[in-house]
Amino acid sequence: MRSERNYVAGLYTRLDAERARVKGEFTAALRGTGGTPMERDFHVRALAKEAKRLDVADNGLCFGRLDTLSGEHSYIGRIGLFDEKNEFDPVLLDWRAPASRAFYVATGANPENMRRRRQFHTRGRQVLEFTDEVLGRPGVDERGDAALLAAVNAPRGEGMRDIVATIQAEQDEIIRLDHPGVLVIEGGPGTGKTVVALHRVAYLLYTQRERMERHGVLVVGPNPAFLNHIGRVLPSLGESDVVFTTTGGLVPGLRVTAEDPPEAARIKGSLKMLGVLEAAIADRQRLPEEPIPINLGGVAVQINAETAEWARDEARASGLPHNEARVTFTEIVTYVLTERAIGRIGRTWLSRSDRGAWERMRKDMLNELANDDAFTAALDELWPVLTPETLLAPLYSSLERLRAAGADPALLRADGDAWTVSDVPLLDELVDLLGRDKAADQAAAQAAAREQKAEAEYAMNVLDSLVGRQDSMDDEDHLFATDLLYAEDLADRFVEQDTRELVERAAADRDWTYRHVVVDEAQELSEMDWRVLMRRCPGKSFTVVGDLAQRRSEAGARSWAEMLEPYAPGRWIYRSLTVNYRTPAEIMTVAAALLAEFAPQVQPPESVRACGVQPWSRLVTEDELPAAVEEFGRDEAGREGTSVVIGPPDVPGAVAASETKGLEFDSVLVVDPERILADGPRGAAELYVALTRATQRLGVLHHGPLPQALTGLVEAGTPAQAGNQR
């Protein structure tokens, strides 16, 4: 034990030395003047990223050791460290390195030329104890259960923990899988599919950093609580170039959480909405019911239906998005009006042979139309500049417009712009269908340039003032910003490049493309959702995580092939996880009985452990319910770990099962399971999710008869009594 403690202490000494080295180089880089501002900025950012990588390694820096048959041994840890005197001699192997793989996959039957696997149990920088597993002998447990069970039995805290020290063989195979397309990871509750997907991202960033880090990774989860739960896993593994969002946040500027009723969500999620959107745009490309008079060059001309129809046909035939095709529409209408006006004016006094005079007249009329409010209003009426919001909101609030677009009347709502999660992929689709408003884009670009120039001038003025102050003081006693940056350099940085971090730039840019995308709870995504995500990753490099048995959305996936084959034909593969590391066998037995009723074709995952506490149920009246919920809360307050109450929305203190997807708690109280079960066609999936959130204790409160699938619960008098049943 002493030698291991000394070795790990030496690793921390090496870590501290690396931190000091990087910090020194970072400070020197800030003060440096060589190269261009962009080159210096790139160097500074690289050092800052390296410093961040070193900062995450304090907790659990080294968690294991591998001994080979020849007596050599290697230490495995959160990051890689090298000998100070020999930069090619590793003193700590990164868990993602090929040489570390045996730590996760070596078993008694296949020892991978290893004799022993040692796993450290640490607190802070201190090694408390270690567990040895001798490999290559009959009867040795292939899962390394000592360390695994210690991890899965530990009380839950805030946020998901990484599993870098306890990755199991079937998980490691998926994490290191070399597949350039779409990987589907399916597994029942507690199989670790989410954390496996996140570790796969860390592995890809480690092995393909140059290809991936310039564009980053997108992680899409079911709700903000889930993203908050998993948000610390990748940073704890030293990876920060990752954007986390829900499908409701895929359009910059929107953070939508409201959901449609099931029928509206199903309609909006179908690819049939593409035709509706196109028809809705076409409906806004109008012909005048009556000719529109325009005064041009002192004569009256008109935009009649025939002229508008010709212009509309030409604009549509251009194949351009709506807003960009407005240029063609405008050119045709302008041509007709100017020809008519010139014909009326010129035939009285101007010869056709005087081309110069004709052209000057035409130029004058074009300028006149460009500044004519009546002409602009006519264009806006017949071919308006549209945004996704100004197209979709009036569509939803008008039964007439819905009918004209061939849309289902179920989409009608009073508040057209009360956006829901199902609206987001439609708004995103409309960005491409409508195209850009070039005039607005140009104005925005000019405004941004003016703002950027002002920032640069401000920076120069501030630093110049510091120079003036420094000139009047003792240089040896005072350190000013000019010691770190020259004013011109800072100004150049404002002008030449975007100084935001990758995550900020990516999240704010609708057209940003990622090198890899992770989609969790992917069974809930609609056909329209997948179109958004595929646009975000042209290389079609995805890790897709889900469980079809837990699908609650009517617009969600019924098969992976149905959703993925159109976008990645022949480039997606399927892997499954079969071991439940979260849910104890006692609870999984109850959940499996429910699963057998609504999805008999699905095999429930096998629990890796038992907890010794039987899940219970208790019959209460409606008046007794609040007190029973409070009693559960008081009982759990005296225990270590986390707890949650899951139930219908009118239950005080309860959250919906859908809000707990992907989360886990030490103790769960499910209220009114019969009402959850009766809530629509996917009520059984909702209840299945609720039952499988607990890692230790599960209780159920019910008003009426207990659903048949839950009759395996032990009837208890109080939650406190139930919690002690073994």
Side-chain angles (χ1 to χ4, degrees):
M1 176 67 75
R2 179 179 297 176
S3 64
E4 296 292 33
R5 285 176 175 167
N6 289 341
Y7 191 90
V8 172
L11 291 176
Y12 278 107
T13 300
R14 183 77 192 96
L15 175 66
D16 292 338
E18 276 293 285
R19 284 175 172 167
R21 178 188 65 79
V22 172
K23 182 179 179 181
E25 291 184 9
F26 179 76
T27 302
L30 284 175
R31 296 183 178 184
T33 58
T36 66
M38 185 174 294
E39 289 170 341
R40 293 199 299 276
D41 194 77
F42 178 81
H43 185 48
V44 168
R45 286 173 181 270
L47 289 169
K49 187 171 293 187
E50 176 66 7
K52 189 177 295 185
R53 183 185 77 90
L54 295 172
D55 281 343
V56 303
D58 260 310
N59 187 27
L61 172 63
C62 176
F63 49 78
R65 191 182 97 179
L66 270 177
D67 294 357
T68 67
L69 292 174
S70 61
E72 298 176 350
H73 51 256
S74 302
Y75 288 83
I76 315 298
R78 192 171 294 277
I79 64 171
L81 291 174
F82 293 86
D83 187 272
E84 187 173 7
K85 298 178 180 178
N86 183 359
E87 62 180 22
F88 299 105
D89 182 17
V91 293
L92 182 66
L93 287 175
D94 191 298
W95 67 274
R96 294 164 289 194
S100 300
R101 186 171 183 271
F103 186 80
Y104 301 110
V105 301
T107 66
N110 297 291
E112 301 280 333
N113 294 319
M114 298 295 161
R115 184 174 65 88
R116 178 171 53 193
R117 172 169 44 217
R118 173 168 290 176
Q119 293 179 305
F120 297 129
H121 307 284
T122 62
R123 180 181 297 130
R125 294 190 168 201
Q126 183 72 25
V127 175
L128 302 179
E129 59 181 347
F130 59 76
T131 303
D132 280 349
E133 182 183 2
V134 179
L135 302 168
R137 296 180 181 178
V140 174
D141 195 320
E142 294 184 3
R143 290 176 186 155
D145 281 347
L148 173 64
L149 291 178
V152 297
N153 280 314
R156 266 49 185 175
E158 293 184 5
M160 178 180 284
R161 299 168 293 187
D162 66 65
I163 59 168
V164 65
T166 56
I167 293 171
Q168 300 301 291
E170 73 167 358
Q171 298 172 330
D172 186 80
E173 179 186 354
I174 294 172
I175 289 170
R176 298 174 191 265
L177 192 62
D178 182 17
H179 178 68
V182 180
L183 167 63
V184 176
I185 306 173
E186 184 162 30
T191 53
K193 51 189 180 292
T194 296
V195 74
V196 166
L198 295 176
H199 283 68
R200 175 168 166 77
V201 168
Y203 177 75
L204 291 174
L205 286 167
Y206 176 80
T207 57
Q208 304 176 30
R209 189 167 302 280
E210 185 175 348
R211 186 181 75 85
M212 296 184 68
E213 69 177 354
R214 289 185 180 273
H215 288 258
V217 174
L218 174 66
V219 175
V220 181
N223 53 58
F226 174 83
L227 295 180
N228 184 59
H229 179 63
I230 68 172
R232 287 184 288 184
V233 174
L234 284 169
S236 76
L237 299 173
E239 305 299 347
S240 57
D241 291 337
V242 181
V243 174
F244 293 87
T245 188
T246 65
T247 54
L250 285 171
V251 172
L254 285 179
R255 288 293 180 270
V256 182
T257 57
E259 293 192 6
D260 277 303
E263 180 62 10
R266 182 191 65 77
I267 295 168
K268 292 179 182 180
S270 169
L271 290 180
K272 295 178 181 178
M273 283 300 297
L274 293 174
V276 171
L277 297 179
E278 291 171 353
I281 294 172
D283 184 53
R284 301 293 292 272
Q285 300 164 353
R286 314 300 291 268
L287 303 180
E289 295 181 1
E290 298 291 337
I292 301 174
I294 301 293
N295 192 328
L296 183 59
V299 300
V301 291
Q302 293 180 335
I303 305 175
N304 56 28
E306 181 183 12
T307 297
E309 186 175 19
W310 176 30
R312 185 181 68 178
D313 290 346
E314 291 293 327
R316 289 176 177 176
S318 71
L320 294 171
H322 170 84
N323 289 332
E324 296 172 29
R326 174 177 159 122
V327 174
T328 302
F329 182 87
T330 303
E331 287 175 347
I332 299 295
V333 174
T334 299
Y335 170 79
V336 172
L337 294 183
T338 55
E339 283 296 306
R340 288 175 179 171
I342 290 173
R344 293 182 184 179
I345 296 172
R347 68 187 176 195
T348 62
W349 60 273
L350 189 61
S351 169
R352 278 286 177 185
S353 61
D354 190 354
R355 292 184 177 275
W358 285 95
E359 290 304 321
R360 285 192 297 274
M361 186 180 297
R362 179 176 286 105
K363 183 177 180 180
D364 290 342
M365 288 184 176
L366 290 175
N367 290 332
E368 185 178 344
L369 285 175
N371 295 286
D372 188 329
D373 291 340
F375 180 65
T376 300
L379 292 178
D380 290 341
E381 178 185 343
L382 302 177
W383 197 285
V385 173
L386 296 170
T387 67
E389 293 81 1
T390 58
L391 184 283
L392 205 56
L395 176 68
Y396 287 152
S397 58
S398 168
L399 187 59
E400 180 183 354
R401 282 194 165 126
L402 286 171
R403 286 172 176 163
D408 194 305
L411 300 185
L412 182 68
R413 67 189 185 203
D415 190 354
D417 58 3
W419 305 121
T420 66
V421 173
S422 301
D423 291 327
V424 171
L426 306 182
L427 292 167
D428 189 75
E429 189 74 36
L430 284 168
V431 173
D432 288 341
L433 292 176
L434 294 174
R436 307 292 187 183
D437 178 0
K438 292 185 177 181
D441 284 351
Q442 185 177 9
Q446 291 171 346
R450 289 193 297 270
E451 182 179 356
Q452 196 173 53
K453 182 179 179 181
E455 289 176 342
E457 291 174 350
Y458 174 78
M460 291 183 68
N461 291 334
V462 169
L463 291 178
D464 284 345
S465 69
L466 289 175
V467 171
R469 290 174 58 195
Q470 190 172 13
D471 288 343
S472 63
M473 306 180 78
D474 185 352
D475 291 346
E476 295 182 358
D477 296 332
H478 300 276
L479 179 66
F480 288 94
T482 47
D483 292 322
L484 304 179
L485 292 171
Y486 291 107
E488 292 83 357
D489 290 345
L490 187 57
D492 285 344
R493 293 187 187 192
F494 275 113
V495 172
E496 290 182 7
Q497 68 181 99
D498 190 335
T499 58
R500 294 174 298 171
E501 295 293 332
L502 180 145
V503 169
E504 295 178 272
R505 288 183 284 125
D509 185 356
R510 184 262 174 185
D511 295 322
W512 188 276
T513 57
Y514 298 88
R515 283 289 183 262
H516 191 76
V517 176
V518 175
V519 187
D520 209 317
E521 300 294 343
Q523 73 277 355
E524 306 297 347
L525 270 62
S526 70
E527 293 175 315
M528 292 300 296
D529 289 325
W530 281 111
R531 282 181 63 86
V532 180
L533 293 176
M534 291 296 171
R535 277 194 289 269
R536 300 296 192 271
C537 187
K540 305 298 184 288
S541 177
F542 280 74
T543 299
V544 175
V545 179
D547 179 11
L548 295 179
Q550 295 187 57
R551 177 181 62 83
R552 59 180 286 271
S553 171
E554 282 299 299
R558 286 166 173 78
S559 81
W560 299 118
E562 177 185 3
M563 290 297 188
L564 300 175
E565 190 65 24
Y567 302 103
R571 292 191 61 228
W572 69 277
I573 60 175
Y574 175 91
R575 294 291 185 271
S576 64
L577 292 169
T578 60
V579 179
N580 188 331
Y581 301 100
R582 175 207 297 148
T583 317
E586 295 89 343
I587 296 175
M588 198 61 216
T589 298
V590 175
L594 175 64
L595 181 67
E597 283 196 357
F598 77 92
Q601 76 284 3
V602 177
Q603 182 70 26
E606 179 186 356
S607 295
V608 76
R609 67 190 174 96
C611 66
V613 179
Q614 292 297 321
W616 55 270
S617 65
R618 179 184 173 193
L619 179 64
V620 295
T621 65
E622 189 171 344
D623 292 338
E624 293 171 334
L625 178 61
V629 172
E630 289 181 10
E631 185 179 357
F632 168 80
R634 287 195 303 271
D635 184 51
E636 290 303 321
R639 303 176 186 265
E640 188 178 5
T642 59
S643 63
V644 69
V645 178
I646 301 175
D650 59 347
V651 174
V655 300
S658 59
E659 295 178 20
T660 66
K661 299 197 82 170
L663 308 183
E664 55 184 30
F665 306 87
D666 291 273
S667 187
V668 173
L669 179 67
V670 178
V671 179
D672 285 347
E674 61 274 29
R675 289 174 59 196
I676 298 175
L677 200 59
D679 186 18
R682 300 305 299 173
E686 288 278 87
L687 183 56
Y688 182 60
V689 169
L691 296 175
T692 53
R693 298 306 95 192
T695 66
Q696 302 290 343
R697 300 173 297 281
L698 171 67
V700 174
L701 298 177
H702 59 105
H703 292 317
L706 200 63
Q708 179 64 32
L710 303 186
T711 54
L713 294 167
V714 175
E715 186 68 26
T718 68
Q721 294 171 346
N724 294 322
Q725 291 192 23
R726 294 183 181 273

